Amino acid sequence: METLMNKNKNQSVYDVIISGAGPVGLFLACELALAKCSVLVLEKAENPHSPLKQIPFGIRGLSAPTIEGLYRRGLLKELEVHKRLKNPHQNAGQGPRRQVGHFAGIPFHDGNIDTSQWRYRLSSSTDTSLISEMEELETVLSRRAESLSVEIKRRLAITDFHQTEDGVTVLSGDQSFQSKWLVGCDGSRSVVRKAGGFEFVGTEPEFTGYSTQVDIADPEKLSPGRNVTPTGMYLQSQPGYVIIQDFDGGAFHNSEKPITLEHVQEVLRRISNTDVTISALHIATTWTDRTRQATTYRNGRILLAGDAAHIHSPLGGQGLNLGLGDAMNLGWKLAATIHNIAPSGLLDSYYTERHPIGAQVLDWSRAQVAIMKPCPHARALNAIIRDLMNTHDGATYIAGRVWGVFTHYNLGGDHPLVGHSVPNFEFKDGTTIGELMRDGHGILLDFDMNASLKTLAGEYGDRMKYVSGRAKEQLGLSTVLIRSDGIIAWASDSEPNEQSIRQAVALWFAL
């Protein structure tokens, strides 16, 4: 190790090396670079574009926290797919029974959703859900990262690393790189997680899932849309694109056998209970509902985010949103640590805040699988959930969970908004609080134009902005302290107590 460090002593030392140039790694790189950190992203794949990232395989639903995060960094306007692409799982019809999502394949409709129950969403709020495409999202994030001077190297997979108290030496074949920190955003089979000695615990799979592009000689034998059968499920979202769930305990996926036309046809025939014929197999991949989570997200100078930290069934598409939430939470905290302006325990709060959110999503995924199994017990539960989702309260709750509306951190505090995403307050001139967060700084929001609060914010220099003025909808608030990731750290409905607000500011921002 000493020889290697001496050999590379003249190398540039990056603040952070990120393993993985997927959406999570790229978004984290953008957050760090926005905070003036030097970042190197290493990606094992040569070509960022893959057929599995394109429509319809690459379609993902973005949840409310993700949409808010992209909006607050000025990236939402660059995504075009959601403007022209309808959710492929929606009914063709419009009106009060339009399908807008599902839980375990059970649809919920916009006519049943009572948004008045979401009391902190304003008329100026961003959408609660949007359709995106993985390839487009990665392209937008890559472009932003490069504009912020992030260095992205492809065809370089991390093979090993060594950390000391001062930094990390990262190895890729016969090349080495130096950094202060290493973050694994390298997916479910993360090399960083494995080499870093992280424990990865959870439950084994119930099924093998198949995503395929095929030519079907007799497509009329398959019903369109999602079809739950006595032996599994198949979904035909568009002609020739078929997704299958075979409840084999993940046996085929784990076998690592080649996915042949004959095998896909056998599975599809058995699940659909037809003699449908596949004449050509163009694309095929398998996946499972294996559900695991790292018991810690940090080991010294090594951190995990995204699928490297947690894996689960892709049902509902919540994995991408969970990973982007990790990046938004970690970026500013790691940057403050690098710049030696982090209050005590700030970086540790990444794990204490994000691990419970991940655990909730994992259980949400397990619950969906439990009521999709082809057995009488699951069908009974499915019928009950279906009835509940046809009620206003049931649909509103499910939609709130699926779209991340209820996501919040347990930060303590007396005000019910603490730990929640800041509402998108709109000021008299039309400016919104989201637009004021483009630079990634925290904000002390003062609706009552209190001179002492302006003085307080000034003590923290460019780490915190002071924003004052009346908003069109204020929710009865007078003062709001907003973290760099858009989370409310402190709030008051009346004239703030100076000692209380100073304690809250010191907890998240160092002088």
Side-chain angles (χ1 to χ4, degrees):
M1 178 63 187
E2 184 64 33
T3 301
L4 184 61
M5 292 294 289
N6 289 337
K7 179 182 177 181
N8 297 308
K9 63 183 179 180
N10 295 322
Q11 277 189 343
S12 298
V13 178
Y14 297 92
D15 289 323
V16 184
I17 292 178
I18 296 173
S19 177
V24 176
L26 291 170
F27 194 35
L28 176 60
C30 291
E31 287 294 284
L32 290 164
L34 188 64
K36 309 302 181 186
C37 295
S38 58
V39 184
L40 169 65
V41 180
L42 299 178
E43 167 57 47
K44 66 179 180 180
E46 176 181 3
N47 184 357
H49 306 304
S50 160
L52 292 173
K53 294 179 181 179
Q54 299 168 9
I55 296 172
F57 293 123
I59 292 175
R60 293 294 185 274
L62 302 183
S63 66
T66 297
I67 295 165
E68 291 167 347
L70 294 172
Y71 172 70
R72 289 167 185 158
R73 298 301 187 252
L75 292 166
L76 188 61
K77 62 185 179 182
E78 297 185 40
L79 297 175
E80 296 292 331
V81 167
H82 70 85
K83 299 175 184 177
R84 60 180 170 81
L85 187 67
K86 290 184 178 180
N87 188 329
H89 305 314
Q90 285 180 356
N91 295 335
Q94 301 294 313
R97 293 295 295 174
R98 186 171 62 95
Q99 181 182 332
V100 291
H102 74 91
F103 174 79
I106 306 171
F108 56 86
H109 303 89
D110 56 0
N112 279 338
I113 298 172
D114 179 10
T115 57
S116 68
Q117 295 186 26
W118 304 337
R119 57 178 297 196
Y120 298 124
R121 294 199 66 79
L122 306 176
S123 58
S124 51
S125 294
T126 52
D127 291 318
T128 50
S129 66
L130 289 174
I131 294 299
S132 184
E133 181 191 6
M134 288 285 284
E135 182 176 319
E136 182 192 50
L137 183 60
E138 288 186 8
T139 299
V140 167
L141 291 172
S142 294
R143 186 164 59 237
R144 175 59 60 89
E146 290 168 351
S147 74
L148 292 169
S149 300
V150 172
E151 192 173 350
I152 303 173
K153 293 181 178 290
R154 301 189 183 274
R155 289 193 299 174
L156 284 178
I158 290 181
T159 52
D160 201 0
F161 56 83
H162 308 284
Q163 67 166 314
T164 67
E165 291 183 359
D166 302 318
V168 186
T169 298
V170 175
L171 306 178
S172 177
D174 59 356
Q175 297 189 56
S176 66
F177 305 90
Q178 304 292 326
S179 71
K180 298 175 184 175
W181 296 85
L182 170 64
V183 185
C185 300
D186 47 347
S188 60
R189 299 180 180 179
S190 170
V191 171
V192 173
R193 184 188 67 238
K194 294 174 182 176
F198 290 85
E199 188 178 13
F200 203 45
V201 301
T203 53
E204 292 306 300
E206 298 282 351
F207 65 78
T208 293
Y210 299 80
S211 295
T212 68
Q213 181 186 1
V214 295
D215 291 340
I216 301 176
D218 40 12
E220 70 280 356
K221 292 182 178 179
L222 296 179
S223 299
R226 186 183 302 272
N227 298 270
V228 178
T229 75
T231 52
M233 185 281 297
Y234 72 93
L235 167 66
Q236 189 172 211
S237 59
Q238 296 181 25
Y241 293 91
V242 179
I243 294 173
I244 314 168
Q245 280 175 264
D246 182 15
F247 282 83
D248 64 348
F252 182 82
H253 177 83
N254 294 335
S255 73
E256 298 186 356
K257 294 179 180 178
I259 311 171
T260 64
L261 182 153
E262 291 75 17
H263 176 74
V264 173
Q265 179 171 273
E266 183 277 322
V267 174
L268 181 57
R269 284 180 171 181
R270 175 163 43 83
I271 299 300
S272 66
N273 193 29
T274 69
D275 60 353
V276 64
T277 297
I278 296 176
S279 54
L281 178 65
H282 301 290
I283 299 172
T285 187
T286 62
W287 39 276
T288 75
D289 58 312
R290 178 178 285 109
T291 305
R292 292 184 179 178
Q293 187 175 24
T295 56
T296 181
Y297 288 2
R298 178 186 175 189
N299 179 3
R301 290 181 171 270
I302 315 301
L303 294 140
L304 302 177
D307 287 350
H310 38 70
I311 58 171
H312 59 88
S313 163
L315 294 170
Q318 297 199 56
L320 171 64
N321 294 290
L322 184 59
L324 292 174
D326 291 345
M328 193 77 172
N329 187 285
L330 175 59
W332 69 282
K333 295 175 180 179
L334 183 54
T337 302
I338 290 167
H339 295 313
N340 296 314
I341 55 172
S344 176
L346 181 66
L347 188 57
D348 291 335
S349 72
Y350 166 59
Y351 168 78
T352 58
E353 291 177 9
R354 292 304 297 175
H355 191 273
I357 301 296
Q360 289 174 9
V361 172
L362 266 59
D363 278 347
W364 186 256
S365 173
R366 291 187 181 103
Q368 293 189 72
V369 174
I371 67 172
M372 296 181 79
K373 294 171 68 173
C375 69
H377 297 87
R379 284 194 288 271
L381 287 172
N382 191 296
I384 292 171
I385 297 297
R386 190 176 296 272
D387 286 344
L388 289 173
M389 287 173 62
N390 278 326
T391 68
H392 288 299
D393 287 347
T396 303
Y397 170 77
I398 294 292
R401 286 289 301 268
V402 170
W403 295 338
V405 174
F406 300 140
T407 300
H408 71 283
Y409 303 131
N410 183 13
L411 304 184
D414 299 327
H415 199 280
L417 261 177
V418 172
H420 288 265
S421 178
V422 64
N424 194 35
F425 296 111
E426 182 179 1
F427 299 94
K428 299 298 185 181
D429 63 357
T431 304
T432 65
I433 198 67
E435 293 169 342
L436 295 173
M437 300 196 72
R438 300 285 164 83
D439 57 10
H441 294 160
I443 292 178
L444 184 56
L445 177 56
D446 177 14
F447 288 127
D448 295 334
M449 291 159 280
N450 188 317
S452 65
L453 294 180
K454 184 176 183 179
T455 300
L456 170 60
E459 296 173 9
Y460 286 80
D462 62 3
R463 292 195 287 281
M464 184 190 307
K465 292 195 296 189
Y466 173 75
V467 175
S468 65
R470 308 296 291 178
K472 295 178 180 178
E473 300 173 88
Q474 293 184 189
L475 301 174
L477 292 158
S478 67
T479 312
V480 184
L481 175 64
I482 310 166
R483 302 189 327 190
S484 302
D485 57 355
I487 299 300
I488 293 178
W490 186 91
S492 176
D493 294 334
S494 56
E495 184 174 349
N497 175 280
E498 184 167 347
Q499 181 180 1
S500 177
I501 183 63
R502 282 188 172 274
Q503 288 176 343
V505 172
L507 183 63
W508 300 104
F509 303 91
L511 277 171

